[in-house]
Amino acid sequence: MVKIILTAILFSCLHAQAFTLITTNPNQTGWASNEITFLVNTANCPIDVVALMSNAVAVWNNVAHSNIKASYGGATTSTAYANPTTVYCEANFSAATGGADINFVPAAASVHTSGGTIYEGIIYLNVSAGQANIANFDSNVLTITVAHEIGHILGLGHSTDANALMYFDGSYKDKLTLAQDDIDGVSYLYPSDEFKDGHFAGCGSVAHLPPPPPPPKGLLLLTLLMLLPVAVAVRFRTKSYENI
Ligand SMILES: [Zn+2]
């Protein structure tokens, strides 16, 4: 009994929600639309930021039970909050981001909300004289970093789950994947519309149904008789090859 209780506690701990939202507004949601686009200003960028964005947004799409559609939408000359979200390379990174450390922070994101709904966003990429200039990272690490910033733009804060893409420190991550906690977060903000008005929810419980009945005996015999010529032919062919 003790074992069962301990297992139950562990199970519930493993499934605890760890994701947070980007604001403390109790009414915060995501964007009004589930189609969220990013425009890139490539001026001052030392690397191919367009390729970076295209790869980074992809990880947030195709989450079962979420209808989110994040995408790279083209070029911009903006360096300000906008809808679609602006992505640009900032040389005065610390000043622009309210004091982010240029030696440790390669990118930062921010959104504006109205009534809890996000309506514009911005992603800053660090191209300052500091150690965390994006030119100093390999493309895999940068893609993971930018995918994390995209998570903020979608409306997610930092997760306490160290496996999550939205964990505050992604420096040890070497693979761009979503953890269950990231999936929970994006599914909460952008749920799929399977339960929208007028839709039926076909909820399965097939594991509790009796197994299907076996085929009638006559049908089984007929199948065996039909397969007999095939078996003979295969045997004949095998024999022919053996003789070669
Ligand atoms: Zn973050």
Side-chain angles (χ1 to χ4, degrees), residues 107-109 145 148-149 152 156-159 165-169:
T145 303
H148 172 104
E149 302 307 327
H152 287 318
L156 293 171
H158 284 145
S159 170
L165 179 61
M166 294 315 295
Y167 189 59
F168 76 96
D169 181 4

Short mmCIF file of all heavy atoms in Angstrom, two decimals, residues 107-109 145 148-149 152 156-159 165-169, ligand 1:
data_model
loop_
_atom_site.label_atom_id
_atom_site.label_comp_id
_atom_site.label_asym_id
_atom_site.label_seq_id
_atom_site.Cartn_x
_atom_site.Cartn_y
_atom_site.Cartn_z
N ALA A 107 20.00 36.89 -26.62
CA ALA A 107 18.75 37.37 -27.22
C ALA A 107 17.75 37.68 -26.12
O ALA A 107 17.83 37.15 -25.01
CB ALA A 107 18.18 36.32 -28.16
N ALA A 108 16.80 38.55 -26.44
CA ALA A 108 15.76 38.90 -25.48
C ALA A 108 14.47 39.17 -26.23
O ALA A 108 14.49 39.53 -27.41
CB ALA A 108 16.17 40.15 -24.68
N ALA A 109 13.35 38.97 -25.54
CA ALA A 109 12.05 39.17 -26.17
C ALA A 109 11.13 39.95 -25.25
O ALA A 109 11.29 39.92 -24.03
CB ALA A 109 11.42 37.82 -26.51
N THR A 145 18.11 29.04 -28.76
CA THR A 145 17.91 30.32 -28.05
C THR A 145 16.75 31.11 -28.65
O THR A 145 15.88 31.62 -27.93
CB THR A 145 19.20 31.16 -28.11
OG1 THR A 145 20.27 30.39 -27.56
CG2 THR A 145 19.05 32.47 -27.37
N HIS A 148 13.39 29.67 -27.93
CA HIS A 148 13.00 30.05 -26.56
C HIS A 148 12.39 31.46 -26.56
O HIS A 148 11.34 31.68 -25.95
CB HIS A 148 14.25 29.98 -25.66
CG HIS A 148 14.05 30.52 -24.28
ND1 HIS A 148 13.90 29.71 -23.17
CD2 HIS A 148 13.99 31.81 -23.82
CE1 HIS A 148 13.76 30.47 -22.09
NE2 HIS A 148 13.81 31.75 -22.45
N GLU A 149 13.04 32.38 -27.27
CA GLU A 149 12.49 33.76 -27.32
C GLU A 149 11.13 33.78 -28.02
O GLU A 149 10.24 34.54 -27.63
CB GLU A 149 13.48 34.69 -28.04
CG GLU A 149 14.87 34.78 -27.43
CD GLU A 149 14.86 35.10 -25.94
OE1 GLU A 149 13.96 35.84 -25.50
OE2 GLU A 149 15.73 34.59 -25.22
N HIS A 152 8.47 33.11 -25.64
CA HIS A 152 8.05 34.31 -24.89
C HIS A 152 7.05 35.13 -25.71
O HIS A 152 6.06 35.62 -25.18
CB HIS A 152 9.25 35.19 -24.56
CG HIS A 152 10.13 34.65 -23.48
ND1 HIS A 152 9.64 34.07 -22.33
CD2 HIS A 152 11.50 34.58 -23.37
CE1 HIS A 152 10.65 33.68 -21.57
NE2 HIS A 152 11.79 33.98 -22.16
N LEU A 156 4.52 32.74 -23.30
CA LEU A 156 5.01 31.92 -22.20
C LEU A 156 6.12 32.63 -21.43
O LEU A 156 6.97 33.30 -22.02
CB LEU A 156 5.53 30.58 -22.73
CG LEU A 156 4.46 29.66 -23.33
CD1 LEU A 156 5.11 28.46 -24.01
CD2 LEU A 156 3.50 29.20 -22.25
N GLY A 157 6.12 32.44 -20.10
CA GLY A 157 7.21 32.91 -19.26
C GLY A 157 8.21 31.78 -19.09
O GLY A 157 8.28 30.86 -19.90
N HIS A 158 8.97 31.84 -17.99
CA HIS A 158 9.97 30.79 -17.75
C HIS A 158 9.36 29.62 -16.99
O HIS A 158 8.54 29.81 -16.09
CB HIS A 158 11.17 31.36 -16.97
CG HIS A 158 12.06 32.18 -17.84
ND1 HIS A 158 12.72 33.30 -17.40
CD2 HIS A 158 12.39 32.04 -19.16
CE1 HIS A 158 13.43 33.82 -18.41
NE2 HIS A 158 13.24 33.08 -19.47
N SER A 159 9.80 28.44 -17.34
CA SER A 159 9.35 27.22 -16.69
C SER A 159 10.35 26.82 -15.61
O SER A 159 11.55 27.10 -15.73
CB SER A 159 9.24 26.09 -17.72
OG SER A 159 9.02 24.86 -17.09
N LEU A 165 12.06 23.80 -22.94
CA LEU A 165 12.69 24.83 -23.78
C LEU A 165 12.56 26.19 -23.10
O LEU A 165 13.41 27.06 -23.24
CB LEU A 165 12.03 24.85 -25.16
CG LEU A 165 12.53 25.87 -26.17
CD1 LEU A 165 14.02 25.67 -26.49
CD2 LEU A 165 11.71 25.83 -27.43
N MET A 166 11.47 26.37 -22.31
CA MET A 166 11.22 27.64 -21.65
C MET A 166 11.88 27.74 -20.27
O MET A 166 11.62 28.69 -19.53
CB MET A 166 9.71 27.90 -21.54
CG MET A 166 9.02 28.09 -22.89
SD MET A 166 9.90 29.19 -24.02
CE MET A 166 9.81 30.75 -23.17
N TYR A 167 12.75 26.76 -19.92
CA TYR A 167 13.56 26.91 -18.70
C TYR A 167 14.45 28.14 -18.89
O TYR A 167 14.93 28.39 -20.01
CB TYR A 167 14.41 25.64 -18.50
CG TYR A 167 15.12 25.56 -17.19
CD1 TYR A 167 14.42 25.60 -15.98
CD2 TYR A 167 16.51 25.43 -17.14
CE1 TYR A 167 15.08 25.51 -14.77
CE2 TYR A 167 17.18 25.34 -15.93
CZ TYR A 167 16.47 25.38 -14.75
OH TYR A 167 17.12 25.29 -13.55
N PHE A 168 14.68 28.88 -17.83
CA PHE A 168 15.35 30.18 -18.00
C PHE A 168 16.77 30.05 -18.54
O PHE A 168 17.28 30.95 -19.20
CB PHE A 168 15.36 30.95 -16.67
CG PHE A 168 16.37 30.45 -15.67
CD1 PHE A 168 17.61 31.03 -15.57
CD2 PHE A 168 16.07 29.35 -14.86
CE1 PHE A 168 18.55 30.56 -14.66
CE2 PHE A 168 16.99 28.88 -13.95
CZ PHE A 168 18.23 29.47 -13.85
N ASP A 169 17.42 28.91 -18.28
CA ASP A 169 18.80 28.73 -18.73
C ASP A 169 18.87 27.56 -19.71
O ASP A 169 18.76 26.40 -19.32
CB ASP A 169 19.70 28.46 -17.53
CG ASP A 169 21.15 28.28 -17.95
OD1 ASP A 169 21.46 28.44 -19.14
OD2 ASP A 169 21.98 27.98 -17.06
ZN ZN B 1 13.66 33.54 -21.38
#
